[in-house]
Amino acid sequence: MRVLVVGSGGREHALCWALAASPLLSRLWCAPGNPGTAEHAENLPIGATDIAALVGFAGDNAIDLVVPGPEATLVAGLADAMAAAGIRCCGPSAAAARLEGSKSFAKEIAEAAGIPTAQWQRFEDAVEARAFVRRRGAPIVVKADGLAGGKGVVVAATPEEAEAAVVRLLGSGGVVVIEECLQGEEVSLFALCDGTTALPLGAARDYKRIGEGDTGPNTGGMGACSPPPVLTPAIEATAMERIVRPALAEMARRGTPFRGVLFAGLMLTAEGPKLIEFNVRFGDPEAQCLLLRLRSDLLAALLAACDGELGDFDLRWREEASVAVVLAARGYPEEPLTGGPIGGREAAAQVPGARIFHAGTRLEDGRLVAGGGRVLTVCALAADLEAARSAAYAAVARVQFPDGVFRRDIGLHTGAAVVGAAVA
Ligand code: AMP
Ligand code: GLY
């Protein structure tokens, strides 16, 4: 099998690493990749949203399977363009990627499918939206409808804050969704889907804020652990039955079946799991945690998803737990300081169970330096969460990255979601 991975983060390094272990693989490329993906794949100078160039490369090089990482690639229609060229792509069409690309679309699907989720309303008019906020009171959640690069959600503690968010997120000609604020523990549940069948791909807890104890601005994710201790097998089964499978059935009923990885952000409330949002891809750094725990052949699983054969597929997992600690460049998320040298990776990787994935790194005169906000994901797999935490932090301690910052509480329980700030 000749496989092309699309993207350049820690998630894509982990995907390349897992695919490289497959006996079915003959050759692997990554576009554009990073110095970590280059250990397993041939990196290509093609951007992740350059759909025409990706399809051209895949056609010219007899690619059997395309594995897209980021949502922007999918929302831009990579899967449709590959389908038109007769090339398998394990990701949703642009129509199905609207589950992530439009919050109001996701809410409509949830409503049509009877999925438990926060009460909501869609607004295009600021006067009406602000009146609604005043009527409902706070806490209340205001969301931009479209992809907002992590700046589109405000969990407002006061009506004034919510009204200010309405004005900012509505902008001129925009759409906002205003939601009931759910209370509880958050977890991310992943499912591999072939249009009709959804197989659980594991779950993770994501640590979104930059600061320990869930403080400071929101980021792409500063760490993750899997499995999340609060998600019992019974709650996971309930979430698959009440949230993931009904969404899949509704998408199929509408003629836009969902293929690829469906990522359900859940709030575990007193009334059971409720949907916060859908994403249409693996999370980063959740993917690093999940893939460390996957025992089955990832390539075979992704092919089965593309071919509508997940009904007969048996995905196996390791019993161990995994922890991923993100090393970010100082100044992230606002203004990351790039160019700082990174050393000690070999020593770090020698910690039993540890594995290091590159994200924003680059080579400068043969030296590895920071090239972006999130720089490395230092992961570990061990018998239980505490052992995985110890191993991951033992590895972090061996990395020499003076310009780096990280959270020391990844894998620790830090309480329920914080109300009162822009969180995504
Ligand atoms: P989203 O981009 O929709 O996942 O929202 C980002 C974050 O905002 C989530 O991870 C939650 O922490 C928070 N959030 C979003 N919607 C709600 C809600 N209805 N109630 C409480 N918190 C929410
Ligand atoms: N870590 C959250 C995400 O990938 O969306």
Side-chain angles (χ1 to χ4, degrees):
M1 285 278 162
R2 298 159 68 85
V3 179
L4 169 63
V5 172
V6 179
S8 62
R11 165 181 53 203
E12 287 77 21
H13 184 184
L15 285 167
C16 287
W17 166 76
L19 290 167
S22 172
L24 302 175
L25 187 80
S26 55
R27 202 161 161 192
L28 183 63
W29 289 267
C30 188
N34 63 36
T37 64
E39 292 166 12
H40 312 286
E42 297 163 57
N43 285 348
L44 298 170
I46 303 177
T49 52
D50 189 345
I51 307 294
L54 291 167
V55 174
F57 178 86
D60 292 346
N61 291 277
I63 294 294
D64 298 297
L65 175 70
V66 178
V67 182
E71 62 275 20
T73 298
L74 294 161
V75 171
L78 182 75
D80 309 80
M82 290 294 175
I87 299 163
R88 283 198 198 93
C89 177
C90 192
S93 63
R98 287 183 74 209
L99 280 177
E100 176 163 2
S102 165
K103 304 269 188 205
S104 58
F105 177 74
K107 285 297 218 179
E108 279 169 28
I109 294 294
E111 201 161 88
I115 292 170
T117 186
Q119 287 177 16
W120 68 288
Q121 213 154 312
R122 176 184 188 280
F123 293 93
E124 293 179 20
D125 180 79
V127 175
E128 283 175 26
R130 293 172 71 174
F132 180 78
V133 163
R134 282 196 296 274
R135 246 189 351 266
R136 295 300 295 258
I140 195 161
V141 182
V142 185
K143 302 185 174 183
D145 191 55
L147 289 183
K151 303 225 173 344
V153 178
V154 173
V155 180
T158 64
E160 293 71 33
E161 208 186 316
E163 286 190 56
V166 164
V167 172
R168 177 172 73 83
L169 297 176
L170 210 47
S172 52
V175 172
V176 292
V177 167
I178 303 185
E179 286 183 13
E180 164 200 8
C181 186
L182 299 173
Q183 308 291 336
E185 299 269 351
E186 257 186 89
V187 295
S188 305
L189 179 66
F190 295 83
L192 185 61
C193 305
D194 68 0
T196 52
T197 300
L199 290 188
L201 261 184
R205 171 163 179 199
D206 177 23
Y207 294 73
K208 286 191 168 67
R209 305 291 193 99
I210 187 77
E212 284 158 21
D214 292 332
T215 54
N218 187 57
T219 71
M222 290 299 291
C225 64
S226 176
V230 290
L231 188 72
T232 61
I235 304 176
E236 180 177 321
T238 302
M240 287 297 297
E241 280 324 304
R242 297 206 187 140
I243 296 174
V244 172
R245 296 200 171 103
L248 202 62
E250 179 62 20
M251 293 302 285
R253 195 187 66 75
R254 291 181 180 219
T256 51
F258 186 93
R259 262 179 226 101
V261 175
L262 187 60
F263 161 167
L266 306 179
M267 191 73 89
L268 306 186
T269 74
E271 291 136 39
K274 292 192 179 179
L275 176 71
I276 299 174
E277 64 158 358
F278 281 125
N279 294 311
V280 299
R281 45 154 181 103
F282 274 114
D284 185 345
E286 294 92 326
Q288 293 87 309
C289 275
L290 298 180
L291 293 171
L292 278 174
R293 297 187 55 229
L294 179 65
R295 203 145 60 89
S296 303
D297 178 357
L298 176 66
L299 180 47
L302 299 182
L303 288 169
C306 287
D307 294 345
E309 290 173 356
L310 284 181
D312 303 319
F313 203 88
D314 183 21
L315 263 184
R316 300 266 170 117
W317 299 89
R318 298 182 199 283
E319 287 302 314
E320 291 106 313
S322 56
V323 166
V325 179
V326 169
L327 299 194
R330 197 177 300 284
Y332 176 74
E334 285 94 3
E335 277 185 62
L337 178 68
T338 58
I342 303 160
R345 280 173 308 120
E346 294 74 15
Q350 277 162 19
V351 171
R355 181 154 296 280
I356 295 165
F357 296 112
H358 292 236
T361 63
R362 63 168 189 254
L363 286 169
E364 247 171 39
D365 305 325
R367 286 185 327 146
L368 194 72
V369 302
R374 293 190 293 173
V375 177
L376 294 176
T377 324
V378 179
C379 304
L381 180 76
D384 58 26
L385 186 57
E386 194 42 51
R389 235 182 80 72
S390 302
Y393 281 106
V396 167
R398 294 185 181 189
V399 176
Q400 288 146 18
F401 179 32
D403 290 340
V405 292
F406 63 93
R407 278 179 64 162
R408 287 166 208 279
D409 61 350
I410 306 303
L412 287 183
H413 185 80
T414 49
V418 183
V419 172
V423 293

